[in-house]
Structure formats: C-alpha cells, structure tokens
Amino acid sequence: MKLVQKDLERAIKLLPLSVQSTMICYGTVVAGGFLRSVVTRERIKDIDLFSITREKALEAAKNLNTLNTKVGENKISSSKNAHSLKGVEGNFVQFIHRWTYYNPEALLESFD
C-alpha cells in the first residue's frame, strides 16, 4: 500500500487536534491500522502512536490525558503493550511502548 498526498491530507484532517499537538510536542509517530483505514476509507478503530522510548510514550499519554480531561482526572489505562485513552475527541488512542523506534524509518520497516 502506498500513501499518496490526498491520503496524507485526509489522515491529518482525521487526527484530533489534541493528538496532533501531542505528536508534535513528544515526537510520536502514527502508524498501523489508522493509516490503513484512512486509505481504504474503513471505520477507524484506534490511533496507534509510537515513541522513541517507553518514557516518552508515558509522557505523551499524560499530556493527551491533560488535554482531554478535567483537572486531576486520569483516563489512562496501561498494559504490557501500551498506554491507552478512550474518548479522545471520540477516538481510542494508544501510545505503544512495547516496541519503540529510534527513527520513523525503523518503525516503518518493522511493519509487514
């Protein structure tokens, strides 16, 4: 599957602004099913974000939680694979921490 400019523009348009902001601040990269769903125009099930380290994934999840909840509220649930938040502008967002990457190219090479 090859992304074209229109796919990338649609992906950006479909990413919640708080997710975009978090991606910019914490250097996370979106990959996986979200992009496939954008290209195939299927229902988006979740947004998987990848970080350079486990620590950065948690920091980014905490930031997104702050942007999408009342003061002091915590919507983050954690598993061995990810820190997840439900209800982020209607989306389920996962900060994958089981697999980290040192650059976006390495992340893309890990997908089949």
Side-chain angles (χ1 to χ4, degrees):
M1 170 176 57
K2 184 176 180 177
L3 292 175
V4 295
Q5 186 65 31
K6 282 189 175 188
D7 295 327
L8 296 174
E9 290 169 2
R10 186 165 186 267
I12 292 168
K13 190 176 190 178
L14 292 172
L15 278 172
L17 292 177
S18 60
V19 173
Q20 290 181 39
S21 172
T22 299
M23 289 175 67
I24 292 166
C25 289
Y26 292 90
T28 60
V29 176
V30 66
F34 172 80
L35 293 176
R36 183 186 61 247
S37 295
V38 167
V39 172
T40 61
R41 298 194 180 264
E42 295 174 354
R43 184 180 73 80
I44 295 169
K45 296 177 186 168
D46 62 8
I47 301 170
D48 294 334
L49 300 171
F50 292 81
S51 297
I52 194 164
T53 66
R54 292 176 65 92
E55 294 77 19
K56 283 287 186 190
L58 181 57
E59 288 175 25
K62 287 179 178 179
N63 178 75
L64 189 60
N65 181 70
T66 299
L67 294 173
N68 285 279
T69 59
K70 298 174 189 165
V71 174
E73 187 179 10
N74 182 12
K75 289 187 175 182
I76 301 171
S77 62
S78 297
S79 70
K80 66 180 182 178
N81 294 332
H83 302 294
S84 306
L85 288 95
K86 290 182 182 176
V88 177
E89 299 177 49
N91 294 278
F92 182 62
V93 179
Q94 298 189 100
F95 292 88
I96 310 298
H97 60 69
R98 185 172 183 182
W99 301 277
T100 57
Y101 70 93
Y102 54 91
N103 64 43
E105 291 79 16
L107 171 64
L108 293 175
E109 289 171 6
S110 71
F111 282 86
D112 49 357

